[in-house]
Amino acid sequence: MQGGLRVFLSQGNVIKNAVLQRIRVANPSLLQPAAFSRCESTAAPAARIEEHGFESTTIADILKGKGKSADGSWLWCTTNDTVYNAVQSMTQHNVGALVVVKPDEEKSIAGIITERDYLRKIIVQGRSSKSTKVGDIMTEENKLITVTPNTKVLRAMQLMTDNRIRHIPVINEKGMIGMVSIGDVVRAVVSEHREELDRLNAFIQGGY
């Protein structure tokens, strides 16, 4: 999925650069500072494009779009739960990871457990998921990669790609407020890229 996204973004950049080149050829003054007050109206559209430009989407936008019922803020398990119960919860809610919290401390993150942890540390090693605690196989807090609501989506995608992870908890000063997946991030990036190209196309055709 990440390889396909890079191809899409690369093609999108080619189109975007072609549009910008066409703007320069058709009317170079639109990309230059206005020299006279009468040109302020032609400079305004460029300012609006910059304001709503690419890379503006944040993790908070993703969580808002998913809604409270799907943002993952209520999906968690404790270090004392069995791996079997954690995997059962993941299957029931169709998610690939759960944030792990300390017993009786719902907002205190202890780590994360993923499908990959289950496969590598339970199935491959022949251990019993019903007798193994989540705390024994989870990725611990000190190794956890997290983002905040203000993190830009492209930054989150870079973190997930560089660290080869598919899920990343969202935290603020009060604790965990949600979870986003690589699928959430890819959809947001693709959508934003398409919207930017639409804005550039509208700009060149006089839609702004």
Side-chain angles (χ1 to χ4, degrees):
M1 177 182 290
Q2 294 172 5
L5 177 62
R6 292 191 185 98
V7 172
F8 176 86
L9 292 178
S10 177
Q11 293 174 342
N13 284 330
V14 171
I15 297 172
K16 180 175 68 174
N17 291 334
V19 172
L20 289 173
Q21 179 63 28
R22 185 176 169 188
I23 293 173
R24 293 188 185 100
V25 172
N27 195 343
S29 64
L30 293 181
L31 297 181
Q32 296 176 353
F36 306 98
S37 59
R38 65 180 180 181
C39 296
E40 289 177 357
S41 59
T42 61
R48 287 212 300 271
I49 285 183
E50 182 178 354
E51 179 184 353
H52 299 287
F54 191 46
E55 303 181 8
S56 62
T57 302
T58 63
I59 294 298
D61 295 322
I62 291 182
L63 293 180
K64 183 178 179 180
K66 293 176 69 171
K68 191 65 177 177
S69 63
D71 65 9
S73 60
W74 48 274
L75 277 176
W76 48 267
C77 61
T78 73
T79 54
N80 289 337
D81 289 335
T82 65
V83 173
Y84 178 85
N85 288 336
V87 172
Q88 191 175 44
S89 180
M90 283 189 267
T91 302
Q92 179 182 351
H93 296 101
N94 194 30
V95 296
L98 291 177
V99 166
V100 184
V101 299
K102 300 173 183 177
D104 302 321
E105 296 183 48
E106 184 177 321
K107 291 293 184 179
S108 180
I109 298 179
I112 189 172
I113 181 172
T114 68
E115 295 169 324
R116 187 180 298 174
D117 293 323
Y118 174 65
L119 290 172
R120 291 182 176 180
K121 302 173 184 178
I122 297 294
I123 298 299
V124 172
Q125 296 181 18
R127 301 165 70 178
S128 170
S129 62
K130 291 187 176 181
S131 61
T132 304
K133 301 294 186 182
V134 168
D136 294 335
I137 72 165
M138 69 181 185
T139 299
E140 297 180 350
E141 181 185 8
N142 60 347
K143 299 178 181 178
L144 196 59
I145 307 297
T146 64
V147 293
T148 71
N150 294 327
T151 301
K152 295 296 177 63
V153 166
L154 285 184
R155 172 57 180 163
M157 185 175 71
Q158 181 183 3
L159 285 172
M160 298 172 86
T161 301
D162 291 348
N163 292 281
R164 298 184 179 182
I165 56 177
R166 296 173 55 206
H167 303 85
I168 194 164
V170 186
I171 61 171
N172 61 13
E173 64 280 358
K174 296 181 180 179
M176 198 268 292
I177 62 172
M179 176 97 75
V180 294
S181 68
I182 188 64
D184 297 326
V185 171
V186 167
R187 282 189 292 271
V189 170
V190 170
S191 174
E192 186 172 332
H193 204 82
R194 284 174 176 162
E195 289 174 4
E196 185 195 18
L197 293 177
D198 289 342
R199 285 193 295 269
L200 287 171
N201 188 48
F203 177 66
I204 194 172
Q205 294 180 10
Y208 278 88

